[in-house]
Amino acid sequence: MGYSQALLTRVKELSGDNDSRVSVRNGEITIEPDRGSFIPLLKTLKSDPDTCFEQLIDLCGVDYQRYGEEAGRPWQGDRFAIVYHLLSVSRNQRLRVVVGVPEDDLKVESVVEIWRAADWYEREAFDLYGILFEGHPDLRRLLTDYGFVGHPFRKDFPLSGHVQMRYSEEKKRVVYEPVTVEPRVTVPRVIPKGA
Amino acid sequence: MTEIRNYTMNFGPQHPAAHGVLRIVMEMDGEVIERLDPHIGLLHRATEKLAESKPYNHSIGYMDRLDYVSMMCNEHAYVMAIEALLGVRPPVRASYIRVMFDEITRIRNHLMWLGAHALDIGAMAVFLYAFREREDLMDCYEAVSGARMHATYFRPGGVYRDLPSEMPQYAGNARESKKDIARRNEHREGSLLDFIDGFTERFPGCVDEYETLLTDNRIWKQRTVNIGIVSPEQALQSGFTGPMLRGSGFEWDLRRKEPYEVYDQLEFDIPVGTAGDSYDRYLVRVEEMRQSNRVIRQCSDWLRRNPGPVMLDDHKLSPPARTGMKEDMESLINHFKLFTEGFNVPEGQVYRAVEAPKGEFGIYLVSDGANKPYRVKIRAPGFPHLAALDEMSRGHMLTDMVAIIGTQDIVFGEIDR
């Protein structure tokens, strides 16, 4: 995977010529626009003949709460982020767009109007991280159980969860109970010094 | 005048045509679908969160269990993402082995798809034919990794071990005659590569058999032609990839457009559909099986001529030799570190995708420098396909919806993750 210099130049132009917002690593271009103004940028990226990103390949949430904790260098930016991976089939190029979302205002504008593929991806990100997508036509939970409480992919949600279920012979139905599994770490997380 | 109202119908999650645990709530006008709402997540195992709690290598086996009919392709995307962050490249021989097994996987997946799709819309025999060949490919998996399905064979930096020089044979039992046992072992006298070569010679004839059963079959055409038409604009809007995109006329294949491993040195053609209906996608996938067969043949030829290492000689990533550990302090330390702690991956984020049989299977990996990934996002090809089921089925009959699920090649392991 690589990127073309022409795309990099064009993306820099479109995102306001701000070098700190455009980065290149591992052969991939990442831009980090503001939450308030990224929708027009995405629309331009889709319609501009030089970028022409017709496809939203992926959309996901990230929770940075425990990022770099073991190394003693906590995350400085917004706690959450929404990551868009765009693909242009006609020009064979890719782009990553990262939009930060602060913890006290968990809202992002929906991109369903731009790419229909965003529908389920946004439902998934809402389900797993609790981020609200404004303008989404049908923002329901997608992957978790009917009646699930909480947002399981947040870093403060325990791996073993909060409830477990079983069939109760007395009540003749499935009951939910507090989880009895003890969280267990077999291999601790380590970040070596200087990494 | 009596009032005719739409009614709501539930489909699945226990239904053989639902390909696993799909539940659909449908609004029907007679037998015509007005609107449908797939309920997914019944197989959600939080694979991504699990992967975040384990060292990198422990999750390779989880990748097999995502799209559980194209196991090695999933592993491939995962190890490619790790390799990209580490900045390493596997030895060339390992690349060829990976590509060969990717293509074996593609044929396996398409055979499963073909059999199940045909069974869904009423053709019993194809399933039996397809599983006959699929069994041979399972044996290839088993010979190389010890497991018929969930191989865990790829590693960051190469593959677990080289191809075996002997193909395991059937031992037979007391009820079988010597002649029968010899017949079953007919292709298993030599190495794995001999077995694979034998398969590539037999297989085009097998594909002809499937085509005889289906391609000009009147019933098959009635059930697939003009069913589930996807226009090119719709395919782009909905994020389609793989045969679903190619069926609508895009010549888009990551193996050619963003060549990874050694695909740029191999010859194969990319079949493209024109009408974008279920029948075109059927033709695309059948041709892909023939092309995969070609690629396997080329890889096998190369692998015969070029022995060499299949794993990087970097003991931060791969275990040292058993004999070395008994004499050499360094090897012992490397072994202990690797198996208790794993390896650390430099800070950064990366997205790597492979052309899996169903479409683009991608891994978005965020690392903060630890021995475990900070965030793993699995981009499953089936996810956007199923999301568009509503759009594709509107106005079709109930029975056509089953054909559309079939043509989408749905597997719930990857959609629910």
Side-chain angles (χ1 to χ4, degrees):
Chain A
M1 293 198 186
Y3 66 94
S4 72
Q5 204 58 42
L7 174 68
L8 181 63
T9 321
R10 187 70 189 138
V11 164
K12 276 185 178 165
E13 274 170 33
L14 290 174
S15 58
D17 209 14
N18 189 338
D19 277 354
S20 66
R21 296 294 174 90
V22 182
S23 56
V24 177
R25 264 194 76 181
N26 301 316
E28 297 173 322
I29 308 177
T30 307
I31 56 173
E32 299 179 41
D34 280 330
R35 189 166 54 128
S37 62
F38 80 103
I39 292 285
L41 176 64
L42 289 185
K43 279 186 179 148
T44 321
L45 284 171
K46 187 185 172 186
S47 58
D48 189 279
D50 290 328
T51 52
C52 206
F53 290 109
E54 313 103 335
Q55 269 197 322
L56 174 73
I57 252 341
D58 190 31
L59 184 161
C60 70
V62 184
D63 177 4
Y64 281 106
Q65 192 191 36
R66 307 242 160 107
Y67 189 90
E69 201 178 48
E70 289 78 9
R73 43 173 170 79
W75 181 251
Q76 299 299 323
D78 295 324
R79 175 172 167 187
F80 294 97
I82 300 289
V83 184
Y84 304 83
H85 283 97
L86 310 182
L87 168 70
S88 168
V89 167
S90 52
R91 302 192 60 91
N92 190 9
Q93 53 198 15
R94 285 175 191 270
L95 180 70
R96 180 186 300 126
V97 181
V98 182
V99 179
V101 186
E103 199 178 355
D104 49 12
D105 184 29
L106 290 172
K107 280 190 208 126
V108 189
E109 267 186 81
S110 168
V111 297
V112 176
E113 290 294 309
I114 312 176
W115 296 283
R116 216 178 307 130
D119 183 352
W120 276 24
Y121 284 124
E122 291 184 349
R123 281 177 66 185
E124 182 193 325
F126 160 71
D127 188 2
L128 303 177
Y129 289 96
I131 296 163
L132 294 171
F133 291 88
E134 288 182 311
H136 189 285
D138 184 20
L139 198 63
R140 284 176 292 152
R141 282 185 182 274
L142 184 68
L143 292 176
T144 52
D145 199 1
Y146 304 114
F148 190 88
V149 180
H151 300 288
F153 275 32
R154 290 189 178 183
K155 289 284 174 180
D156 48 11
F157 191 97
L159 190 64
S160 47
H162 293 303
V163 289
Q164 62 188 30
M165 64 193 282
R166 68 176 175 90
Y167 179 75
S168 161
E169 196 55 50
E170 303 93 70
K171 291 180 181 157
K172 300 286 176 201
R173 64 175 173 87
V174 169
V175 291
Y176 288 84
E177 292 163 343
V179 74
T180 54
V181 187
E182 296 264 319
R184 187 172 63 112
V185 177
T186 46
V187 181
R189 222 184 133 78
V190 284
I191 303 181
K193 284 208 170 64
Chain B
M1 199 180 129
T2 40
E3 190 191 352
I4 302 169
R5 279 186 308 173
N6 289 346
Y7 57 91
T8 308
M9 202 173 108
N10 184 60
F11 174 91
Q14 283 91 4
H15 190 288
H19 286 226
V21 286
L22 172 63
R23 181 185 170 204
I24 307 178
V25 180
M26 291 179 287
E27 201 179 302
M28 310 284 298
D29 176 13
E31 215 184 324
V32 176
I33 295 167
E34 292 271 284
R35 195 174 62 84
L36 60 79
D37 179 23
H39 287 212
I40 65 165
L42 287 104
L43 201 61
H44 181 55
R45 296 146 295 178
T47 306
E48 295 162 4
K49 192 166 175 96
L50 273 175
E52 288 160 24
S53 72
K54 290 183 178 0
Y56 283 92
N57 269 2
H58 291 201
S59 305
I60 300 173
Y62 282 135
M63 298 300 141
D64 290 320
R65 285 151 182 84
L66 289 166
D67 180 357
Y68 46 74
V69 291
S70 44
M71 292 76 40
M72 288 207 197
C73 290
N74 310 346
E75 288 176 22
H76 199 166
Y78 182 67
V79 299
M80 262 169 55
I82 299 173
E83 282 168 357
L85 277 179
L86 285 167
V88 298
R89 281 183 77 93
V92 194
R93 188 174 166 85
S95 287
Y96 271 96
I97 294 178
R98 283 181 184 181
V99 166
M100 186 170 79
F101 272 92
D102 272 9
E103 297 306 320
I104 286 178
T105 309
R106 194 177 316 278
I107 295 182
R108 276 188 66 166
N109 176 81
H110 285 0
L111 286 176
M112 173 80 205
W113 159 80
L114 184 67
H117 187 28
L119 195 60
D120 277 350
I121 48 184
M124 181 75 211
V126 190
F127 189 77
L128 305 172
Y129 279 76
F131 270 54
R132 180 187 58 188
E133 274 72 59
R134 196 162 174 265
E135 199 59 34
D136 284 345
L137 297 175
M138 286 210 183
D139 289 343
C140 296
Y141 261 50
E142 189 174 3
V144 87
S145 73
R148 284 156 54 84
M149 295 188 72
H150 302 303
T152 327
Y153 179 54
F154 293 0
R155 293 285 185 285
V159 293
Y160 173 60
R161 61 174 187 185
D162 207 344
L163 304 172
S165 55
E166 273 178 20
M167 190 69 191
Q169 300 194 350
Y170 288 109
N173 59 34
R175 290 186 304 280
E176 284 175 299
S177 69
K178 283 221 169 68
K179 212 173 118 199
D180 280 345
I181 299 170
R183 187 182 48 77
R184 292 177 76 190
N185 285 329
E186 191 189 331
H187 300 290
R188 293 160 199 273
E189 302 296 337
S191 67
L192 172 64
L193 283 176
D194 294 334
F195 182 75
I196 289 175
D197 281 352
F199 178 83
T200 55
E201 270 161 37
R202 292 194 301 281
F203 190 62
C206 301
V207 182
D208 292 342
E209 286 179 356
Y210 316 143
E211 288 220 74
T212 314
L213 287 168
L214 294 176
T215 305
D216 291 322
N217 181 326
R218 211 167 57 209
I219 307 173
W220 178 256
K221 283 182 120 171
Q222 280 169 0
R223 292 300 308 271
T224 54
V225 174
N226 285 336
I227 298 297
I229 297 179
V230 182
S231 70
E233 300 76 40
Q234 205 179 345
L236 291 178
Q237 263 289 323
S238 302
F240 282 11
T241 48
M244 297 291 290
L245 188 61
R246 289 193 283 277
S248 298
F250 288 97
E251 198 202 331
W252 179 260
D253 190 316
L254 296 183
R255 293 178 292 170
R256 179 63 52 78
K257 299 290 178 180
E258 296 171 3
Y260 49 96
E261 305 293 0
V262 289
Y263 275 115
D264 48 352
Q265 287 158 44
L266 297 167
E267 276 177 35
F268 58 96
D269 298 325
I270 302 167
V272 173
T274 48
D277 59 359
S278 297
Y279 187 69
D280 272 24
R281 287 188 285 270
Y282 154 76
L283 293 176
V284 165
R285 286 190 175 110
V286 168
E287 184 55 31
E288 277 183 24
M289 286 202 274
R290 295 187 194 273
Q291 296 301 328
S292 292
N293 199 55
R294 254 175 93 190
V295 177
I296 294 174
R297 197 56 199 253
Q298 294 168 48
C299 290
S300 159
D301 282 349
W302 191 94
L303 287 166
R304 273 178 200 283
R305 283 182 281 109
N306 298 277
V310 294
M311 187 75 196
L312 287 179
D313 190 28
D314 175 357
H315 295 313
K316 293 265 186 290
L317 292 176
S318 65
R322 203 78 207 163
T323 45
M325 277 165 55
K326 302 205 195 296
E327 293 152 9
D328 177 11
M329 192 65 176
E330 189 83 357
S331 300
L332 196 64
I333 295 170
N334 280 328
H335 181 269
F336 182 76
K337 279 290 252 189
L338 184 65
F339 283 93
T340 55
E341 209 175 273
F343 50 85
N344 289 79
V345 167
E347 192 173 353
Q349 53 182 344
V350 80
Y351 177 83
R352 283 291 180 274
V354 296
E355 184 71 30
K358 293 181 173 60
E360 176 173 332
F361 184 93
I363 297 282
Y364 171 53
L365 199 63
V366 181
S367 168
D368 60 351
N371 56 341
K372 301 177 180 181
Y374 186 77
R375 170 83 168 112
V376 183
K377 173 68 183 16
I378 297 152
R379 193 272 172 196
F383 189 82
H385 295 164
L386 188 66
L389 181 66
D390 177 28
E391 206 179 316
M392 284 174 73
S393 319
R394 277 185 194 195
H396 278 301
M397 308 278 260
L398 175 62
T399 44
D400 293 333
M401 198 269 296
V402 173
I404 293 173
I405 295 179
T407 192
Q408 286 191 343
D409 201 1
I410 296 292
V411 161
F412 268 85
E414 57 162 12
I415 291 170
D416 288 348
R417 281 159 284 149

